[in-house]
Amino acid sequence: MPSSVSPPFPRRLIVLALLLSLGIGALFARAIWTLRDDQQRFAERTSVNLAYTLDQAIGRTVGALDHSLQGVVHELGNPAAMALPAALRDKLLFDNSLRLSGVGGVLVLDAEGHIVIDSGSAPARQANLADRDYFRVFQGGAHTGLFIGVPVRGRLSGEYSLPLARAYYGADGHFAGVVVGIVRLEHFNGLFAQLNLGPQSSVTLLRVDGTIVTRFPDSDGLVGKSLAGTANMRAVQAARSGTFKGTAVLDGVPRQYAFRHVGDYPLALNVAQAVDTVLADWRRNAWVLGSFALVLMLACVGLAALFARELQRRQQVGARLAQAERDLRTILDNVPSMIGYWDADLHNRFANHAYVDWFGVGPEKLKQLSMRELLGEALYAKSLPYLEQALQGHAQLFERTVVDAYGAERHSIASYVPDFDGSAVRGIFVQVTDITERKRMEDELFEEKERMRLTLQSIGDAVVCTDAQGRVSYLNPVAERMTGWQAFDAAGRDVDDVVPLHLPGGAAVQPSPLRHALAEVRPLGPTRGVVLQRGDGQRFDVEESASPIADRHGQVTGAVMVLHDVTESVAMAQRMAHLAQYDALTDLPNRVLLQDRARQALAQARRERQGLAVIYLDLDGFKQVNDRLGHDAGDHLLVQFARRLQEATRASDTVSRQGGDEFVVLLPGIGSADTVGPVARKILAVCEEAFLLEGQPVQIGMSGGIALFPQDGETFEALARCADAAMYAAKRQGRLQFRLFAPDGAHRLVR
């Protein structure tokens, strides 16, 4: 749009208004800042006056108690006074100053720290205070005069108090003891409680070394705490009195401090008002004044802006309307659709440039034609029903095939929108869009979709398609057979409900591989080791793979999962794995599995310090059975013998066929020959009953050798050699027996 230049007067008016508003803001800001300084100065003067008043009150209390202590020290050096009866002596020692508010009493301690005279009790209460700092400082000679100790909890009263002490000496000048007076801290807290300093403000009495005597409010837990080395404490120690601003290390609150040292005593007092409390009233007033100033400033600028805008508005309206008309014409001429307006008599009032491409008629010539003349009789007759409905106020949308001015056939979609003036239709807006390319793509898409459908129906794997949320959208026939679902029943259901995948152990695969593909936006698989279980209980071992489906913008719109039925191959693999570890005839563990179990049993026996037995067995007379009845009968005999042998042993034992008629039994948990004897007899009993072969009872025996761990060997190979040697000894000694291996060759008969 063309820019319009503001006239000089409105521009100067805006500048003047800005200057005026800035001046108003500056005046109010100055006033607000002055109020802030006045508020802080007033608070500072108040804190200084309070600190002075409290200093005088505390100084009088401490001075009066010190005066009494000096009197007690003086009288303690008077032999005549100390010779008086206890009641008269105490009345002489303790004058009326002890009745001051807050004074807790005076104690006289001897050179060992024992209480010898007590102003509050006659006779004196029994206690030793030699561990107190005020006693140790005089006992060691490190101090003279008045000493103010750290606040303590009294052993006699149980209350916090501030001790004031002076030493007294014997006639020869040696240290004789300490006189200590007590000021209850609740006396100071009572003075401080009369002040109203506002929230988060405080009054603190400290020793000049930084030890907190008491603090109001919130003194609990702070009595005796040291502030030495902090910035605030250094400011208090640097001068006798003064003010400063700082942040309390106790609670992190910024405060305005006024402090004074109490007389000539090693005590200091500070009155601390929270900065937020000091400035609370000022902030409220500042918000009111600032808001009022802002309103005035905005009003000045706003009124000037409104006036200047109104002056420019009339100049801009005409230019905008002209520009809008040019913009609209440019847009409509570049829209890939025919757009026109036809009045109630179906004469053209407006047309864009697309009419030239379709009908070879420009906008100016088109205004001289009716719609019948433009379309021709045949096309007009087809369009007339829609035109009549549109002129009656009903919007129309339909498809039509048109032959353009160049003889090309165009598929189009036409829209007739009535133009109401409030009571009648004045005309219709016509929009015709060429959809020839879209039609062609739809036809190609249909053909491609049909090819994909036939392909998916023809392949031998199950194919499951879902949307981006994992809801089933398609099942091919193989997927219908494997899942037990019909495609129309499964549509819209969760893929985990339609295709329940499980691990071989029975646990469900959660989430399904298809959901992993959707979440990670990458193909997964193919992966074996998954079982598809139908609702009727039928199971399929499958090899699954899943891939996300994305549109041309990379947005995931769904996923496809392919399940390849590998039930037969998995069964074959399991059978082959079984045959690799078990005897094909008797289904007993073979040499490979026996050695593996033996290694595990030996490791457990070493770990738990238990025994283990290996038994070698050989059937007696097996060759004669083969020769007389044939090898099939011999095989049947071996199968029956293996079954009986398994029944005669424990579930934890391993019975293995080594080949021919030789068997090995691995017995974990067998610790001695006495333990293995019952097992051997039970195994011998296996052959007591005749075996039925081809309808004939056949009696057969066995011989066996036993080796024990760890007596006979540390490895299975060593134990096997020992058991084999014992077995051949059993055969040499008459068969139908078990022999226990002995290193000297005298293999003992197991009974």
Side-chain angles (χ1 to χ4, degrees):
M1 293 178 57
S3 60
S4 57
V5 180
S6 300
F9 179 72
R11 187 166 56 245
R12 288 198 298 269
L13 181 63
I14 294 295
V15 173
L16 181 62
L18 288 174
L19 292 175
L20 179 60
S21 64
L22 290 175
I24 293 173
L27 289 175
F28 273 92
R30 176 60 180 168
I32 291 171
W33 197 257
T34 300
L35 288 175
R36 183 179 186 276
D37 291 341
D38 291 344
Q39 185 73 24
Q40 288 182 320
R41 283 193 294 271
F42 176 76
E44 183 177 300
R45 287 195 302 272
T46 301
S47 298
V48 169
N49 292 336
L50 290 174
Y52 176 78
T53 302
L54 293 174
D55 167 32
Q56 296 299 309
I58 295 171
R60 284 194 297 271
T61 300
V62 174
L65 181 56
D66 183 36
H67 180 73
S68 295
L69 296 180
Q70 294 180 45
V72 171
V73 170
H74 175 74
E75 295 299 334
L76 288 173
N78 184 353
M82 298 306 296
L84 293 174
L88 292 176
R89 180 200 64 194
D90 291 352
K91 187 173 182 180
L92 178 64
L93 288 176
F94 307 125
D95 59 18
N96 291 333
S97 62
L98 295 182
R99 298 181 181 180
L100 288 173
S101 175
V103 175
V106 174
L107 303 174
V108 177
L109 311 181
D110 62 14
E112 284 75 34
H114 298 293
I115 300 175
V116 294
I117 302 176
D118 185 348
S119 68
S121 176
R125 289 167 287 182
Q126 297 300 307
N128 186 282
L129 304 178
D131 60 332
R132 298 300 196 190
D133 62 337
Y134 53 79
F135 184 86
R136 294 197 308 269
V137 73
F138 287 118
Q139 186 183 42
H143 190 81
T144 59
L146 178 67
F147 179 80
I148 299 179
V150 297
V152 295
R153 185 187 293 274
R155 293 175 183 163
L156 302 178
S157 65
E159 299 177 348
Y160 275 111
S161 59
L162 180 67
L164 280 70
R166 283 184 176 272
Y168 66 94
Y169 303 90
D172 57 356
H174 70 275
F175 172 72
V178 173
V179 179
V180 56
I182 298 171
V183 181
R184 291 190 296 272
L185 295 190
E186 65 180 17
H187 168 69
F188 299 129
N189 291 335
L191 290 176
F192 301 159
Q194 299 176 27
L195 308 179
N196 183 14
L197 300 178
Q200 294 186 319
S201 299
S202 65
V203 180
T204 307
L205 179 64
L206 312 101
R207 295 203 322 174
V208 294
D209 64 354
T211 303
I212 295 177
V213 175
T214 187
R215 183 178 186 266
F216 182 85
D218 304 327
S219 64
D220 292 345
L222 298 179
V223 174
K225 184 179 179 66
S226 177
L227 300 179
T230 63
N232 291 353
M233 195 62 215
R234 289 197 298 270
V236 171
Q237 294 168 338
R240 297 287 300 174
S241 63
T243 61
F244 65 91
K245 290 181 181 179
T247 300
V249 297
L250 298 176
D251 53 16
V253 176
R255 292 185 174 91
Q256 182 172 292
Y257 292 88
F259 68 91
R260 289 185 65 87
H261 286 217
V262 178
D264 295 327
Y265 306 110
L267 295 174
L269 176 80
N270 74 49
V271 178
Q273 285 188 279
V275 173
D276 288 342
T277 302
V278 171
L279 298 179
D281 292 337
W282 170 80
R283 286 195 176 100
R284 287 192 293 271
N285 293 331
W287 272 107
V288 174
L289 292 175
S291 300
F292 183 67
L294 182 62
V295 170
L296 288 178
M297 294 169 65
L298 294 176
C300 289
V301 176
L303 289 174
L306 288 174
F307 184 70
R309 187 178 66 177
E310 187 62 27
L311 290 177
Q312 298 176 21
R313 187 169 177 272
R314 292 183 177 273
Q315 297 178 357
Q316 296 173 348
V317 168
R320 288 178 178 175
L321 288 175
Q323 185 63 41
E325 183 177 355
R326 288 192 296 270
D327 292 344
L328 180 61
R329 167 61 69 175
T330 301
I331 293 171
L332 292 178
D333 282 341
N334 288 278
V335 170
S337 299
M338 285 195 305
I339 298 177
Y341 179 83
W342 303 77
D343 61 19
D345 296 327
L346 297 181
H347 285 86
N348 183 263
R349 293 292 179 264
F350 171 81
N352 68 348
H353 195 268
Y355 275 85
V356 176
D357 298 332
W358 285 66
F359 295 103
V361 180
E364 295 303 323
K365 184 178 180 181
L366 189 59
K367 291 180 180 180
Q368 304 172 13
L369 301 176
S370 66
M371 187 171 289
R372 180 191 296 268
E373 293 171 334
L374 177 67
L375 299 180
E377 292 297 332
L379 185 56
Y380 179 76
K382 293 179 181 180
S383 303
L384 185 57
Y386 301 104
L387 292 170
E388 290 175 347
Q389 288 293 317
L391 290 173
Q392 293 175 15
H394 307 294
Q396 302 295 302
L397 184 66
F398 58 94
E399 291 188 13
R400 176 75 68 227
T401 300
V402 179
V403 178
D404 63 17
Y406 306 101
E409 190 177 72
R410 298 192 182 194
H411 297 285
S412 63
I413 183 168
S415 171
Y416 295 164
V417 179
D419 176 24
F420 286 97
D421 65 356
S423 58
V425 177
R426 297 185 304 178
I428 57 175
F429 293 97
V430 176
Q431 181 178 3
V432 181
T433 304
D434 188 351
I435 60 171
T436 303
E437 184 63 19
R438 191 182 78 184
K439 279 286 187 182
R440 182 187 64 79
M441 294 178 64
E442 287 177 353
D443 293 341
E444 292 179 354
L445 182 61
F446 176 79
E447 293 175 1
E448 183 67 22
K449 185 176 180 180
E450 187 66 12
R451 283 195 296 270
M452 291 297 298
R453 184 182 67 82
L454 293 175
T455 300
L456 292 176
Q457 288 183 345
S458 301
I459 64 176
D461 293 334
V463 179
V464 181
C465 297
T466 72
D467 59 16
Q469 285 71 44
R471 295 187 292 265
V472 174
S473 59
Y474 174 78
L475 298 177
N476 74 340
V478 178
E480 290 180 335
R481 175 180 60 81
M482 292 178 65
T483 62
W485 286 83
Q486 296 294 321
F488 57 84
D489 289 330
R493 292 182 179 270
D494 190 274
V495 66
D496 291 331
D497 296 334
V498 178
V499 188
L501 298 178
H502 298 78
L503 298 175
V509 179
Q510 294 292 341
S512 81
L514 183 139
R515 290 199 176 276
H516 272 303
L518 285 172
E520 299 175 12
V521 195
R522 66 179 181 87
L524 297 177
T527 304
R528 288 196 177 188
V530 180
V531 177
L532 169 62
Q533 182 169 335
R534 295 192 349 172
D536 59 5
Q538 185 175 358
R539 296 163 61 92
F540 297 91
D541 290 291
V542 296
E543 179 181 80
E544 53 83 15
S545 61
S547 297
I549 302 173
D551 59 19
R552 59 181 178 176
H553 303 295
Q555 186 70 31
V556 174
T557 59
V560 60
M561 179 166 58
V562 178
L563 303 175
H564 177 58
D565 187 355
V566 294
T567 305
E568 293 184 2
S569 60
V570 168
M572 179 62 72
Q574 292 174 347
R575 177 62 179 164
M576 295 301 292
H578 184 80
L579 290 176
Q581 293 184 316
Y582 289 84
D583 180 55
L585 177 62
T586 62
D587 203 34
L588 293 177
N590 60 13
R591 291 175 182 271
V592 175
L593 184 54
L594 174 64
Q595 290 179 352
D596 181 65
R597 291 188 181 178
R599 282 193 296 272
Q600 296 180 27
L602 285 169
Q604 182 176 1
R606 293 188 186 97
R607 185 169 59 251
E608 299 179 1
R609 297 183 178 179
Q610 294 181 348
L612 179 146
V614 176
I615 302 178
Y616 256 67
L617 302 175
D618 187 86
L619 295 180
D620 298 329
F622 178 72
K623 183 176 184 302
Q624 290 79 357
V625 172
N626 272 344
D627 294 342
R628 183 163 55 90
L629 299 177
H631 288 284
D632 290 341
D635 290 345
H636 190 49
L637 172 61
L638 292 175
V639 171
Q640 291 187 52
F641 177 76
R643 184 167 61 251
R644 291 187 187 183
L645 194 56
Q646 282 185 302
E647 293 172 353
T649 56
R650 302 170 300 177
S652 59
D653 300 336
T654 298
V655 179
S656 171
R657 182 187 177 208
Q658 297 297 290
D661 59 343
E662 289 187 359
F663 294 82
V664 175
V665 181
L666 178 66
L667 302 174
I670 299 298
S672 65
D674 296 335
T675 310
V676 79
V679 180
R681 290 192 295 272
K682 190 174 181 181
I683 294 175
L684 273 175
V686 166
C687 293
E688 291 179 355
E689 182 182 351
F691 294 90
L692 189 62
L693 303 176
E694 297 185 355
Q696 302 179 33
V698 176
Q699 195 71 43
I700 196 167
M702 77 172 84
S703 300
I706 304 173
L708 297 178
F709 169 85
Q711 299 94 306
D712 301 331
E714 291 289 334
T715 66
F716 175 70
E717 289 75 11
L719 293 171
R721 287 193 299 271
C722 294
D724 188 52
M727 180 191 73
Y728 280 105
K731 282 185 173 292
R732 290 193 300 270
Q733 299 298 325
R735 304 177 182 268
L736 293 176
Q737 58 180 276
F738 278 83
R739 290 279 174 171
L740 189 65
F741 175 79
D744 58 359
H747 307 300
R748 181 163 56 89
L749 177 65
V750 178
R751 299 185 182 277

